[in-house]
Amino acid sequence: MRGMRAVSAVATGLALLLLTGCGEGETRSNGPDTLDPKADITKQSLTVSIWDGYSPEDLPERVKKNLGVPIQIAHHATNEEIMAKLTAGGAAGSDSGVDVAFVSGQYAQALNEAGLLEPIHADLVPNLKNLYPEARQLAYDKGNTFSVPYTWGTTGICYRTDFVKQPPTSWNDLLRPSPALKKKVTMMTTERWLALPALKVLGHSVNTTSDQELTAARTLLLDAKKNLLAYDDTTFGDRLTEGESAMAEAWDGWCPTSDPKIKFTVPKEGSDLWVDTMVVLKSSRNKEAAHALINYILAPEIHSWAAENILYKVPNKAAMEQLDPKVLAANAPLRMTPAELLKGESIVDVGEAATKYTRLSTEVAAGS
C-alpha cells in the first residue's frame, strides 16, 4: 500500500488471459514445479519488483552477504504497472524477467487464477512459522498457498482532535461532515477505496458487483463531493499536520498519529483488510533462491524494518514483538491486533466486474 498504490481494472485483461489459455470458464492448472531444497542458490540470481521505499535500501547487500544470492531491485509505482509487466506475454510461463513481485492481495489472486504464480513451497520457507495464525485466514489466499503476506492494515478516518470537536464514529462523518468541517475533508480516489466509505455506510460489501449497490454508492459519493477539500491519496497526512484539512480517509499506516493532535479510527460500519504480498512467478528460473529470499525477509530482524520505517503492521508475530516500544507508543495504528484487523472485510479480486469500479470512479471524478 505504498504511494499511489492504485487498484483498478487490469481484471478484464486477466480474464481474457484465462480464456485464451484454457477452456472458457476454466482456470488454468497451476501445479507446483519440483524444487530442490538442496539446490546451490548461489548459482541463481533474482530480480525483485517492489514499491520504492518498501524495503531496506541495503537489502541487496544483505541478501548477497547472508544468502550468497545477487539480487536486482526494480521499482513499480502502482499495482497496474507491475501487473502490466507480468501479464504482457499473454500466457502462463512467459518470462517477464521478474522472479519475485510485491503486489496487493487481490492482484496476487488474479495472477494465480491466470496461472502466472508458482505455489509457495512451505518446506523452503520455514520462517512461515513466524506469521500470526490470522495471516493464514486471508480470503484471497487461505493458507498462503500462492502468496506470502508482507504488510497488512485497514482504512479509516484520520483526524485532528483540535479541529474535530466530536470524534468521528461513522463514515457519514466523512461523507456528510458538519458545517464547520465542509471543505476541510479529503477522500481517496483509488477505485476500491473511493467506493469503500459509501458502500460501508449503505451496508454493502467492499467487493460488491451489484449494479444497484454501486449506483447507490455513486449517488452518495457525488453528494459528498461538494463538501470535500480535495481527493488525495498521497499527501493527506501532510494536509492534516499543516492544518489545511481536519479529516481524511486514510490508510492506517499513513495517518501521522505521531503528531499528538492526530488520531485514527475505524468507523462503526466497518472497513477493509488490505494486504501486500510477496509472490514467486511461475516463469522464474530461480525459484529456490526466490523462496530463500522470502524466508529471509520473514526473519523477525528483517521483517520488523517495514513496521518501524514505513509504519505498516507486518503479519509477523516475531517481528512485531521486537519493535521498539517507542515506535509502538507513538503510532497507534501499529498497536492494532490481528483479531481487530480481521474484523475488516478482505478486498478480493472481482474479475471483470472491476471495470464497474473504474466506471464509478470516473463518473464521480467527472461529476459535480
Side-chain angles (χ1 to χ4, degrees):
M1 177 78 65
R2 186 67 174 172
M4 291 292 289
R5 181 184 163 278
V7 177
S8 68
V10 296
T12 300
L14 285 169
L16 291 173
L17 179 62
L18 283 168
L19 295 177
T20 300
C22 52
E24 185 170 352
E26 177 186 350
T27 301
R28 187 194 311 277
S29 173
N30 191 25
D33 286 350
T34 299
L35 301 190
D36 181 6
K38 297 182 180 179
D40 183 358
I41 61 174
T42 64
K43 295 181 178 178
Q44 300 181 15
S45 61
L46 295 173
T47 296
V48 179
S49 192
I50 186 172
W51 294 281
D52 190 14
Y54 223 45
S55 64
E57 288 188 7
D58 63 348
L59 183 63
E61 291 80 7
R62 294 192 198 186
V63 172
K64 179 64 175 176
K65 178 181 178 180
N66 289 278
L67 301 181
V69 177
I71 71 171
Q72 179 179 346
I73 300 293
H75 291 133
H76 54 264
T78 65
N79 275 301
E80 287 94 339
E81 182 182 330
I82 184 58
M83 292 293 281
K85 183 174 184 177
L86 298 180
T87 61
S94 60
D95 192 355
S96 64
V98 174
D99 299 287
V100 177
F102 285 65
V103 297
S104 301
Q106 62 271 38
Y107 283 98
Q109 179 187 358
L111 287 169
N112 185 64
E113 290 171 352
L116 295 174
L117 296 186
E118 175 67 16
I120 297 299
H121 296 248
D123 58 319
L124 298 184
V125 193
N127 281 337
L128 285 169
K129 69 179 185 297
N130 291 333
L131 296 179
Y132 289 105
E134 290 87 347
R136 298 182 62 82
Q137 301 172 25
L138 302 169
Y140 64 87
D141 180 19
K142 291 200 173 184
N144 312 132
T145 62
F146 55 80
S147 64
V148 175
Y150 179 67
T151 54
W152 60 357
T154 190
T155 308
I157 297 176
C158 186
Y159 66 100
R160 287 187 58 131
T161 56
D162 54 341
F163 291 172
V164 182
K165 302 307 179 185
Q166 187 72 27
T169 59
S170 168
W171 286 115
N172 269 321
D173 294 321
L174 187 81
L175 295 165
R176 298 177 174 125
S178 66
L181 296 178
K182 288 182 178 180
K183 300 298 182 178
K184 299 285 284 183
V185 173
T186 67
M187 287 181 62
M188 294 190 285
T189 54
T190 304
E191 292 168 7
R192 301 291 291 274
W193 283 274
L194 171 65
L196 186 152
L199 288 173
K200 282 299 180 184
V201 159
L202 294 168
H204 304 321
S205 168
V206 296
N207 300 306
T208 184
T209 60
S210 163
D211 290 331
Q212 181 178 358
E213 292 176 357
L214 289 169
T215 296
R218 172 185 173 276
T219 299
L220 184 52
L221 290 167
L222 283 171
D223 186 59
K225 185 176 180 180
K226 64 180 182 289
N227 298 318
L228 295 181
L229 167 67
Y231 290 112
D232 186 349
D233 295 57
T234 56
T235 64
F236 53 78
D238 294 335
R239 290 178 187 265
L240 285 163
T241 56
E242 293 166 5
E244 182 184 359
S245 68
M247 190 187 306
E249 178 189 8
W251 294 306
D252 49 359
W254 275 30
C255 180
T257 56
S258 56
D259 184 326
K261 298 186 296 294
I262 296 176
K263 303 292 184 186
F264 177 83
T265 188
V266 176
K268 62 185 180 183
E269 297 90 355
S271 190
D272 65 336
L273 167 58
W274 61 259
V275 186
D276 288 338
T277 75
M278 301 176 280
V279 298
V280 178
L281 275 298
K282 191 78 173 173
S283 57
S284 171
R285 299 186 179 100
N286 308 290
K287 294 186 178 74
E288 289 88 357
H291 281 75
L293 172 66
I294 291 173
N295 188 64
Y296 178 73
I297 288 172
L298 291 180
E301 63 274 15
I302 303 301
H303 208 174
S304 60
W305 179 94
E308 290 185 343
N309 288 274
I310 59 177
L311 303 180
Y312 281 151
K313 292 173 288 299
V314 296
N316 185 321
K317 184 174 187 290
M320 291 298 291
E321 287 176 347
Q322 73 167 43
L323 288 188
D324 184 338
K326 292 180 181 178
V327 174
L328 281 173
N331 297 278
L334 283 177
R335 301 195 296 271
M336 292 182 69
T337 67
E340 288 173 325
L341 275 181
L342 257 68
K343 292 178 182 177
E345 184 181 8
S346 288
I347 296 177
V348 300
D349 176 50
V350 294
E352 291 182 76
T355 57
K356 297 181 181 182
Y357 284 89
T358 302
R359 184 166 60 250
L360 180 148
S361 64
T362 300
E363 290 173 349
V364 169
S368 58

